[in-house]
Amino acid sequence: MVGPGGLREVRRLCHWGPLVALSVVIVCSATAIADAVLWYWPLDTAGGSVNFIMLLNWTVMILYNYFNAMFVGPGYVPLGWTPEKSQDCMYLQYCKVCQSYKAPRSHHCRKCNRCVMKMDHHCPWINNCCGYQNHASFTLFLLLAPLGCIHASFIFVMTMYTQLYNRISFGWSSVKIDMSAAKRDPRTIIPFGLSAFAASLFALGLALGTTIAVGMLFIIQMKVILKNKTSIESWIEEKAKDRIQYYQTDETFIFPYDMGSKWKNFRQVFTWSGIPEGDGLDWPVREGCHRYSLTIEQLKQKADKRVRSVRYRAIEDYSGVCCPVTKGVKTFFTTPCTEEPRIALSKGDLILATRGLKHWMYGEKILNSAGDGGIRERGWFPRKCVEKCQYDSETDQPVDGEKKSR
C-alpha cells in the first residue's frame, strides 16, 4: 500500500515535464545501445564492450541525478519558522501562506506552495524546485545529459554511415539507396532496414536538440554558481542597480554571499559528501556586508513596487485563459511565454498593476477592501480589458517598463 509520501512522489512523476524528459532519455539511450550492439560496435570486440559499458554508465548517472533532483527536492523553510533573535524579524518578509518568516535566500514558490530554501527556480522538467538541497544534483544532470547525448549522437551518425556506405551507388543524375541490402554484412543478425534508419535519425535529432538546450542551461547555472548566486538573486541584484539608478541615491548594493573566490563559491554547492554546506537557513556573508543585506534590499524593492503600482479597473470580463481568442489577434499571439498564472477578471474588479507588456499586464487583483492586508490574486491579464483609475493618486505613477525606457 502506497503511503501519502509515496503517492505524492507518484503524482510528481506523472506530469508532462518528467514524462517528456524521461522519454527523451529512454529513447536516446535505448536507440544508441541497440545501434551499437547490433550494427556499429558489437559486443564480441573489446571496444564494443567498453562502448556498451559507457552508454550504460551515462544512462545510470543521468537518471540517478535526475531522480535525486526530483525526489530529494530543494528543502523547505519549516512551517512557522522565525529567526532566533526576535529583532531580526524586521529584516525579513513574512509569508502568510506558510505562516512563517522567509529565511535569507528563500522564496515562496506558488507551484510547490512552500517557501523554498535558496530557491533558484521551479523547473517543470523535474516538476520541482531547484534549491538548496538539490542544486548540485540538478546541475550534474544538466552536465551529464549533453555529454551522454554527444556520445549517443556519435553512435547514431557512425551507425547510419557504416550501414549505408556500401549501399549507395552514385550516378550522374541520381543517388540510389538500397535499404534492404543488410546481408552484405555477415555479422549483422537483424537487418538495418528503413525503420531502424528512421529511428536512428529521430533519436539523433532528439540528442542534438537536448545537447544544445540542456547545455545552455548548464552554462547559465554554472555562471550563477561560480558567483554563489541563484537565478532569482541575479534578478534581485539587477533590480537593485535599477532602483538606485532610478532614484539617484548614493547607496551601493554589494551581493553579500559572493565569497570572493570561484572555488569557494563552487564549494558552497558541490561537496565531496554530496551534502551542501550549511543548513539552508543561515549563510556566511562576505566581509563588510550585513547578515541581512539581501533581505533588506528585497524589502526596499517591495516598497518601491507598491509605490510604482498603478490602480486599474476592469472594463471587460476575462476568463483567465492563456490565449484568449476574443481579445484580439495581437493579444492572442503575444501571450506571455511564462508559467506565471493568468487571473480571471469581472467587470468592475480593481487591479494593482506592477509591470506590463504592449498587450498584457501583470498585477494583483484586490479581492477585498482590507488594504495592504487584503488577499490578492496575482497574474497576467489583457491590457484591453482594463482602464486606469484616474481618480486614484497612485495612477500618477506609470507601470514598470513604461516609466522609462531601459
Side-chain angles (χ1 to χ4, degrees), residues 311 343-346 348-352 364-371 373-378:
R311 188 180 293 259
I343 54 173
L345 299 177
S346 298
D349 285 343
L350 292 176
I351 308 99
L352 287 177
E364 300 175 338
K365 183 168 67 173
I366 305 176
L367 300 181
N368 57 39
S369 57
I375 301 173
R376 293 172 180 173
E377 185 180 344
R378 299 178 181 179

Side-chain angles (χ1 to χ4, degrees), residues 2 18 24 47 60 154 186 222 249 268 360:
V2 180
V24 171
V60 171
F154 173 79
M222 285 307 302
T249 61
Q268 289 285 308
W360 289 82

Side-chain angles (χ1 to χ4, degrees), residues 57-354:
N57 188 53
W58 288 125
T59 304
V60 171
M61 289 195 301
I62 289 171
L63 291 177
Y64 173 78
N65 285 283
Y66 179 82
F67 287 124
N68 256 1
M70 178 190 294
F71 295 132
V72 171
Y76 304 107
V77 177
L79 296 175
W81 180 85
T82 57
E84 293 182 2
K85 299 179 180 178
S86 58
Q87 59 267 32
D88 290 346
C89 293
M90 62 182 295
Y91 302 122
L92 302 172
Q93 299 182 70
Y94 186 78
C95 179
K96 296 179 181 178
V97 177
C98 298
Q99 295 292 305
S100 63
Y101 285 91
K102 295 182 181 180
R105 312 192 78 176
S106 68
H107 304 274
H108 186 84
C109 175
R110 286 193 293 267
K111 296 285 186 180
C112 300
N113 203 33
R114 287 290 300 273
C115 286
V116 177
M117 295 190 292
K118 196 190 175 186
M119 179 178 175
D120 185 87
H121 68 290
H122 184 90
C123 178
W125 304 111
I126 63 173
N127 194 23
N128 208 338
C129 278
C130 173
Y132 163 68
Q133 290 185 349
N134 64 351
H135 204 171
S137 296
F138 180 78
T139 307
L140 286 174
F141 165 73
L142 296 182
L143 170 64
L144 294 170
L147 293 178
C149 285
I150 291 172
H151 186 181
S153 298
F154 173 79
I155 299 298
F156 299 144
V157 171
M158 294 305 298
T159 299
M160 290 186 287
Y161 173 76
T162 55
Q163 290 299 309
L164 298 179
Y165 181 77
N166 294 324
R167 306 168 191 223
I168 301 178
S169 58
F170 293 92
W172 288 102
S173 60
S174 66
V175 177
K176 182 181 179 182
I177 303 178
D178 180 13
M179 296 299 296
S180 63
K183 295 180 180 178
R184 295 176 185 174
D185 189 351
R187 295 181 304 171
T188 301
I189 300 175
I190 301 176
F192 186 80
L194 183 60
S195 59
F197 176 79
S200 298
L201 192 61
F202 176 73
L204 175 62
L206 283 181
L208 292 177
T210 302
T211 300
I212 296 172
V214 180
M216 291 177 63
L217 291 176
F218 171 73
I219 293 173
I220 293 172
Q221 283 297 308
M222 285 307 302
K223 283 183 177 179
V224 296
I225 287 175
L226 292 178
K227 296 178 181 178
N228 200 16
K229 298 178 183 177
T230 64
S231 300
I232 294 177
E233 290 168 351
S234 295
W235 175 236
I236 292 174
E237 187 177 30
E238 288 298 318
K239 289 195 294 184
K241 294 176 182 177
D242 181 72
R243 181 185 63 81
I244 293 171
Q245 181 181 8
Y246 181 86
Y247 290 106
Q248 297 181 352
T249 61
D250 295 330
E251 62 182 309
T252 58
F253 175 74
I254 300 175
F255 185 73
Y257 303 114
D258 187 346
M259 297 290 99
S261 164
K262 291 183 178 180
W263 174 247
K264 291 181 180 179
N265 292 337
F266 181 84
R267 293 283 296 169
Q268 289 285 308
V269 177
F270 297 95
T271 61
W272 292 114
S273 64
I275 302 174
E277 292 189 359
D279 58 2
L281 300 173
D282 191 20
W283 298 90
V285 297
R286 65 188 299 171
E287 187 177 353
C289 289
H290 191 273
R291 180 183 178 186
Y292 296 108
S293 292
L294 185 66
T295 58
I296 292 171
E297 175 58 33
Q298 288 179 265
L299 290 172
K300 290 180 180 179
Q301 291 181 13
K302 190 173 183 178
D304 182 49
K305 183 178 179 180
R306 286 196 294 267
V307 170
R308 297 194 193 192
S309 64
V310 185
R311 188 180 293 259
Y312 282 79
R313 183 183 300 276
I315 57 175
E316 296 181 16
D317 292 340
Y318 168 54
S319 63
V321 297
C322 182
C323 301
V325 179
T326 60
K327 303 304 178 183
V329 176
K330 293 182 178 178
T331 301
F332 178 83
F333 285 106
T334 59
T335 182
C337 297
T338 173
E339 286 198 342
E340 290 176 313
R342 274 62 170 169
I343 54 173
L345 299 177
S346 298
K347 191 173 180 179
D349 285 343
L350 292 176
I351 308 99
L352 287 177
T354 55

